[in-house]
Amino acid sequence: MIFEFATASQILFGAGVANRIGEEARRMGKHAFLVTGRSDERAEAILSLLQKSGVKATRFRVSGEPEIGVILEALAQARQTGCDLVIGYGGGSVLDAGKAIAAWLTNPGDPLSYLEVVGEGKPLEAPSMPYIAVPTTAGTGSEVTRNAVLGIPSHRTKVSLRGRYMLPLLAVVDSELTRSLPPEVTARTGLDALTQLVEPYVCNIPNPLVDALCLEGIRRVGKSLYRAYADGSDIDARTDMCLASMFSGMALANAKLGAAHGFAAPMGGMFAAAHGEICGRLLGPVMAANYRALSVRQEDSTSLARFHQVAKALVGDENATLPDAVDWVERSCQVMRISRLGDFGISRQDFPVLIEKARQSSSMKGNPVQLEDQDLIAILENSL
């Protein structure tokens, strides 16, 4: 058995640990390039902690999912400030932006040359600038992953900047920071985490450490996602979702994904749709399509049993089978008002392009079975 497992160099987890950001930052540098979302109120809290610890900060706002132009603008500003530390404080988009900035600050040449699909995919050769990742949502697990997803508007797609040097030096995961998340954000980020737990568990190259994290994460999502959605002040549910999100990031960083993510990347580049919402809507149909295909074409596959383990953990019933998991996801999407693909403007006319782009994605290569065109069309039809 040969496998690899890599994660952030240090993780601080628990309610209230964000209060240590200032002292932790002071150990790493004197001038932080602080990447945040739009909220000035949220940013003030971390700016105050940094100031009290004697760390100078230059703030850069990222609104929405990060596009390459915004990252290049941030990169230029970070170089002008002479910063020696990068901090990402926000949702997955903010954390991904911070990772890309920290990596490109220390790796010379054209940033685009390091990107997949639109560039040469050149490997990062130098360690990133010290980076602290502080998530304020519970879904992407970006605080423990070694990639950043960036939008490329000119190609109507999203691509990843990847590399072992992109793992944060410190991840600070504080469930208190997620208390104020609106229900709709709680829902779509939570379903994103669930998809990132299910796909690595059933992927074609399993990893025993990832397996354990995935099942525990799936169990926590099943127990706590709707509780966090219904009552944002439920700190136990929020903590469960923060753990599930972090586990999902560890999983995707050390195993492969599958068809849901294979479709999500081109959809996110072509249509104005949140990544987590797309994943949540696709997850049920993808699980059902994979199970059907495996039953017909690879009936001896160990992934068939894995799908039933997913169901047992998610539903919380030792007698649950894959259809129960699909029902759980579909009902959750309905109750938490997750949009259907058609609501984003996706139509049957887009199916050929989406299928072509999904087949080219790295995520699709991890799917437990090679899906044929009719399988992929069925997934899209059932999500439309």
Side-chain angles (χ1 to χ4, degrees):
M1 183 183 294
I2 299 174
F3 65 89
E4 175 188 2
F5 191 88
T7 191
S9 299
Q10 181 185 1
I11 296 170
L12 292 178
F13 185 97
V17 294
N19 292 324
R20 294 170 55 181
I21 291 171
E23 61 191 80
E24 294 294 336
R26 189 178 57 212
R27 293 192 300 106
M28 300 181 195
K30 297 179 179 179
H31 186 165
F33 190 73
L34 175 64
V35 186
T36 74
R38 288 169 290 188
S39 172
D40 291 334
E41 184 179 353
R42 278 184 176 275
E44 283 302 318
I46 188 170
L47 285 168
S48 176
L49 290 169
L50 293 171
Q51 183 180 22
K52 288 176 182 177
S53 296
V55 178
K56 184 179 179 181
T58 298
R59 182 185 175 195
F60 185 89
R61 296 173 178 83
V62 173
S63 299
E65 297 187 355
E67 295 183 350
I68 186 64
V70 173
I71 304 304
L72 294 178
E73 178 188 343
L75 191 60
Q77 186 174 329
R79 285 181 172 140
Q80 288 175 354
T81 66
C83 66
D84 54 6
L85 163 70
V86 179
I87 301 174
Y89 182 83
S93 296
V94 169
L95 300 191
D96 275 8
K99 274 190 287 189
I101 294 162
W104 276 331
L105 280 172
T106 57
N107 284 271
D110 180 4
L112 293 177
S113 67
Y114 295 98
L115 294 176
E116 303 173 344
V117 184
V118 297
E120 302 164 26
K122 189 169 68 174
L124 297 166
E125 296 181 353
S128 296
M129 185 168 284
Y131 180 54
I132 299 175
V134 189
T136 59
T137 61
T140 67
S142 183
E143 68 273 12
V144 288
T145 65
R146 43 185 161 183
N147 73 296
V149 180
L150 308 175
I152 313 294
S154 60
H155 289 68
R156 298 187 70 200
T157 192
K158 294 180 181 179
V159 300
S160 284
L161 175 66
R162 301 179 189 275
R164 61 192 178 99
Y165 292 128
M166 292 185 67
L167 283 163
L169 202 57
L170 172 65
V172 180
V173 186
D174 187 337
S175 52
E176 291 284 356
L177 300 180
T178 67
R179 273 185 185 266
S180 61
L181 283 180
E184 62 273 16
V185 178
T186 299
R188 63 178 181 245
T189 54
L191 288 170
D192 187 10
L194 177 60
T195 308
Q196 292 176 177
L197 290 163
V198 171
E199 293 202 312
Y201 184 69
V202 300
C203 78
N204 54 27
I205 305 181
N207 176 320
L209 280 175
V210 166
D211 290 349
L213 291 169
C214 287
L215 285 180
E216 179 62 14
I218 291 167
R219 185 183 69 80
R220 289 178 185 269
V221 172
K223 182 179 72 168
S224 296
L225 175 54
Y226 185 74
R227 285 170 50 201
Y229 171 83
D231 179 8
S233 66
D234 186 335
I235 196 62
D236 290 335
R238 290 295 194 188
T239 299
D240 273 348
M241 292 310 300
C242 284
L243 266 178
S245 175
M246 186 174 70
F247 290 169
S248 81
M250 292 175 174
L252 76 85
N254 293 282
K256 292 183 177 293
L257 292 166
H261 278 87
F263 274 126
M267 283 182 187
M270 294 171 64
F271 301 92
H275 175 78
E277 202 160 15
I278 294 173
C279 286
R281 180 52 67 186
L282 287 168
L283 180 58
V286 165
M287 287 196 295
N290 277 332
Y291 192 80
R292 283 194 303 270
L294 284 166
S295 299
V296 172
R297 297 169 212 153
Q298 297 180 28
E299 58 184 20
D300 60 342
S301 172
T302 57
S303 290
L304 287 169
R306 284 175 173 264
F307 276 111
H308 294 315
Q309 292 300 321
V310 166
K312 292 174 183 179
L314 184 61
V315 179
D317 182 353
E318 279 300 308
N319 296 315
T321 59
L322 189 275
D324 298 311
V326 173
D327 287 345
W328 190 99
V329 173
E330 295 295 329
R331 279 188 287 104
S332 295
C333 284
Q334 182 178 0
V335 171
M336 296 189 294
R337 302 178 182 179
I338 297 298
S339 301
R340 301 196 69 85
L341 297 187
D343 298 328
F344 304 128
I346 298 172
S347 70
R348 290 174 179 82
Q349 293 180 334
D350 301 305
F351 286 7
V353 174
L354 288 171
I355 289 171
E356 180 185 358
K357 288 189 173 185
R359 286 200 182 283
Q360 295 171 0
S361 72
S362 58
S363 294
M364 190 66 85
K365 294 177 175 60
N367 205 62
V369 61
Q370 185 170 341
L371 296 174
E372 298 176 356
D373 281 356
Q374 65 263 29
D375 303 317
L376 298 174
I377 290 170
I379 290 169
L380 296 174
E381 285 280 3
N382 291 326
S383 307
L384 201 57

